[in-house]
Amino acid sequence: MKTLNTNSRWERRMSFLIRSMNIGSMRIRSLVPLMALAMTFTNFSMAYAQIEMADNLRSEGKIYIVIAIILTIMIGFFWLLFRLDRKTKRIEKEFSTKENSTKKVSTEKNR
Amino acid sequence: MGYLLKSNWWKWGCVVSLCYTVVGGLLLPVPRLPILHETIRVLHFHVPMWFGMIFLFTGSMVYAIKYLKTEEVTFDVYSHQLASIGLTFGVLGIITGMIWARFAWGEFWSNDPKQNAAAVALLIYLAYFVLRRSIADEQPRNRLSAVYNIFAFFLMIPLLFILPRMTDSLHPGNGGNPGFNAYDLDRDLRKVFYIAVIGWALLGYWLAALSSRITLIKLRLEDENP
């Protein structure tokens, strides 16, 4: 372990870690920057958790009320759309039957 | 479009995917990012407006080409109605974007390149409707507006996708800002986003199909008693 430079704090910490793991090879030294990276990532994830989100709304279950309301409104609009669809279909059908009958009348007149 | 007018199953697809969008979009976990916070969920509602608009305008352009090829009035009706629903989607997209920008950027309109380009693209399409209404004769109106429609579509593409990316824009995904690579590649967001795009686009086609049918009935009425 003499090769490890124990100047900085985290390097000391690392060397302790390596010693405790009882694998004092040169290979482990190449892992040190990787471990440092992992540490910065844990710091990052700590900051990540501090970003404000609507966690309370979820834990209190109130978000479900919002979803229920939005879904109700959407279902209402979908119902309207389907009804409009049916209405137009009825008018289209009326048209086609009317057209057919007028065609028949006109052909009869031609005869 | 002809098939969409006759079939019904895709409407149920629209209902299911939009219900899933609301539930999943509000409930599923999202990445915690500064400035954005919960507004990242806007991705499932604001962005599909633009995607839907592009799908509708693409359909409109295709039917404009078909009209020019065949001179069939039905194709002109499809093209016109798709464009009008597409414009509605675009206006909703710009309004939702402004509301979001008020809280993320501090102002409703900050003359951001993305905002300006989107506004120009919408104005170009608005001119399509002005053009249509300014010509009384049916055939030149349909033909001119079909040509203009194709022109407008190919102007919209660089305005929305290329120009804002070439300058500094605050908009996510533009000017070096993270967009699809940072938020969209997130697995949780992807689970909802793609289905949201499909659902909203189908809703647009549903509305366009309905208004086309009504317009076709109106045309037939005018034919019968001019």
Side-chain angles (χ1 to χ4, degrees):
Chain A
M1 286 314 292
K2 61 180 177 184
T3 45
L4 254 176
N5 187 353
T6 50
N7 276 342
S8 70
R9 226 171 105 202
W10 70 262
E11 262 180 317
R12 244 179 287 143
R13 222 185 283 162
M14 279 297 133
S15 69
F16 169 75
L17 208 99
I18 291 161
R19 243 178 274 138
S20 63
M21 278 153 71
N22 207 12
I23 29 169
S25 66
M26 282 295 280
R27 223 190 224 166
I28 213 84
R29 270 193 88 186
S30 61
L31 277 179
V32 170
L34 220 132
M35 282 173 167
L37 202 78
M39 277 168 74
T40 49
F41 261 112
T42 47
N43 282 342
F44 180 76
S45 61
M46 272 164 74
Y48 188 78
Q50 276 163 9
I51 288 167
E52 253 182 83
M53 297 295 248
D55 294 322
N56 282 336
L57 201 63
R58 268 175 200 80
S59 63
E60 288 166 8
K62 283 183 183 160
I63 191 83
Y64 300 107
I65 302 163
V66 178
I67 290 169
I69 287 165
I70 295 175
L71 277 182
T72 316
I73 290 171
M74 274 179 36
I75 287 165
F77 277 118
F78 284 134
W79 178 71
L80 279 176
L81 270 172
F82 275 118
R83 215 181 56 162
L84 251 172
D85 257 351
R86 257 180 285 140
K87 265 188 187 174
T88 29
K89 198 170 227 171
R90 219 173 293 149
I91 295 172
E92 279 170 350
K93 263 187 192 165
E94 238 170 74
F95 248 101
S96 53
T97 47
K98 211 167 122 193
E99 247 172 32
N100 287 339
S101 57
T102 48
K103 264 180 198 165
K104 269 178 200 167
V105 169
S106 58
T107 45
E108 274 164 16
K109 269 181 191 171
N110 285 342
R111 275 175 203 166
Chain B
M1 197 74 184
Y3 173 71
L4 291 183
L5 290 191
K6 281 170 206 147
S7 58
N8 246 350
W9 62 269
W10 55 277
K11 289 166 189 169
W12 289 105
C14 170
V15 171
V16 170
S17 50
L18 282 187
C19 288
Y20 171 74
T21 300
V22 167
V23 178
L26 294 182
L27 276 186
L28 285 180
V30 291
R32 287 169 176 265
L33 294 172
I35 304 169
L36 288 176
H37 304 281
E38 288 288 352
T39 68
I40 197 166
R41 294 179 194 276
V42 164
L43 179 81
H44 309 311
F45 304 93
H46 160 77
V47 183
M49 287 297 126
W50 294 105
F51 274 68
M53 181 193 83
I54 288 155
F55 284 132
L56 290 160
F57 281 168
T58 309
S60 177
M61 193 259 300
V62 168
Y63 277 107
I65 294 172
K66 275 192 175 175
Y67 174 77
L68 289 176
K69 266 179 154 176
T70 59
E71 303 250 312
E72 183 107 29
V73 186
T74 326
F75 292 154
D76 176 71
V77 170
Y78 293 162
S79 179
H80 178 206
Q81 298 308 322
L82 281 168
S84 84
I85 303 291
L87 189 76
T88 316
F89 268 57
V91 169
L92 287 175
I94 218 160
I95 292 171
T96 51
M98 276 167 73
I99 296 167
W100 176 81
R102 169 67 187 78
F103 298 99
W105 302 345
E107 262 177 299
F108 285 110
W109 200 270
S110 44
N111 280 327
D112 188 78
K114 186 82 168 181
Q115 281 183 324
N116 284 346
V120 171
L122 289 186
L123 286 174
I124 288 169
Y125 263 96
L126 205 66
Y128 169 79
F129 299 95
V130 176
L131 178 74
R132 274 191 81 90
R133 293 198 177 196
S134 62
I135 305 168
D137 291 335
E138 202 181 285
Q139 216 181 18
R141 181 195 70 194
N142 295 353
R143 212 178 289 162
L144 269 175
S145 62
V147 172
Y148 184 81
N149 192 321
I150 300 164
F151 162 79
F153 182 81
F154 288 106
L155 251 183
M156 176 198 70
I157 299 296
L159 277 169
L160 289 186
F161 296 109
I162 300 166
L163 291 179
R165 283 184 170 78
M166 293 180 75
T167 49
D168 284 328
S169 169
L170 290 168
H171 195 281
N174 293 109
N177 284 322
F180 285 100
N181 31 8
Y183 314 137
D184 199 32
L185 272 189
D186 183 86
R187 268 178 52 218
D188 294 322
L189 288 177
R190 266 188 174 186
K191 273 181 218 157
V192 181
F193 179 67
Y194 294 135
I195 292 170
V197 167
I198 294 168
W200 289 111
L202 282 179
L203 183 72
Y205 268 87
W206 191 348
L207 292 167
L210 257 173
S211 54
S212 307
R213 281 161 75 179
I214 293 166
T215 316
L216 286 173
I217 293 170
K218 214 174 110 193
L219 281 179
R220 275 157 89 183
L221 264 175
E222 280 168 8
D223 276 351
E224 277 177 20
N225 4 275

